[in-house]
Amino acid sequence: MTLDTSNPFAQRSTLEYELPHFAQIKEEHYLPAFYAGCEEQLAEVEAIINSGEPTFENTLVALEKTGLTLGRMLMVFYNKSSSDTNDALDKIEEEMAPKLAAHSDAIRLNPNLFARIKKIYEERASLNLNAEDMNLLEKYYTDFLHAGAHLSETEREELKKLNE
């Protein structure tokens, strides 16, 4: 799904600190940006999985750069829905919530992605990572463990149902 370029979430804001153009954002912009952002991020994750032998750069640094469209949209949406909600925003949130849980599970419970992170984590002592990079590696590894990435296929499927 390609996001229409007229959607304010389609590209990074040019405002200072990349603040969103709030005046341009309408309720009808959220769901298209949500779906396009999810699709974009899953494609980015798939590219990471297929990027050859796992390294810190082609796995963790690459993961940090995924989901930019989705992130832009969610930041604005949750800010707006928590501070100035209405029935339309509540309906959007109701549609998005289970899909966002499934999207998160598609990434954090992906055994191929977790295998890459785990391999890097297990080799961390020999990677000469600085403190910041080591912290990032430990954060991803722990987050994926807590999400259930280490579970069996059956257990992951059961967890996905519970999360949704």
Side-chain angles (χ1 to χ4, degrees), residues 1 3 7 9 25-39 69-70 73-74 77 88-97 99:
M1 172 181 208
L3 189 57
N7 188 309
F9 298 113
I25 299 170
K26 309 277 187 262
E27 289 166 355
E28 61 266 16
H29 293 134
Y30 291 115
L31 284 176
F34 173 75
Y35 288 113
C38 286
E39 204 171 287
T69 301
L70 182 60
M73 177 266 161
L74 289 175
F77 178 79
L89 292 178
D90 288 345
K91 187 174 181 190
I92 292 168
E93 189 167 12
E94 186 178 313
E95 180 176 337
M96 279 187 346
K99 290 175 174 55

Side-chain angles (χ1 to χ4, degrees), residues 105 109 147-148 151-164:
D105 285 348
L109 298 180
L151 299 173
S152 70
E153 179 66 29
T154 304
E155 292 169 324
R156 284 193 310 271
E157 290 306 314
E158 184 177 329
L159 181 58
K160 285 178 187 179
K161 290 176 187 170
L162 291 172
N163 287 343
E164 218 174 300

Side-chain angles (χ1 to χ4, degrees), residues 71-132:
R72 281 192 299 271
M73 177 266 161
L74 289 175
M75 220 174 358
V76 173
F77 178 79
Y78 284 125
N79 185 315
K80 175 77 172 163
S81 70
S82 66
S83 63
D84 186 26
T85 197
N86 58 43
D87 290 342
L89 292 178
D90 288 345
K91 187 174 181 190
I92 292 168
E93 189 167 12
E94 186 178 313
E95 180 176 337
M96 279 187 346
K99 290 175 174 55
L100 187 56
H103 175 74
S104 179
D105 285 348
I107 296 169
R108 292 180 180 234
L109 298 180
N110 185 309
N112 297 322
L113 183 57
F114 180 62
R116 293 179 69 86
I117 294 168
K118 184 177 179 188
K119 185 175 191 306
I120 297 165
Y121 182 80
E122 289 171 346
E123 296 172 355
R124 68 191 179 280
S126 65
L127 297 178
N128 297 319
L129 298 174
N130 63 36
E132 185 178 355

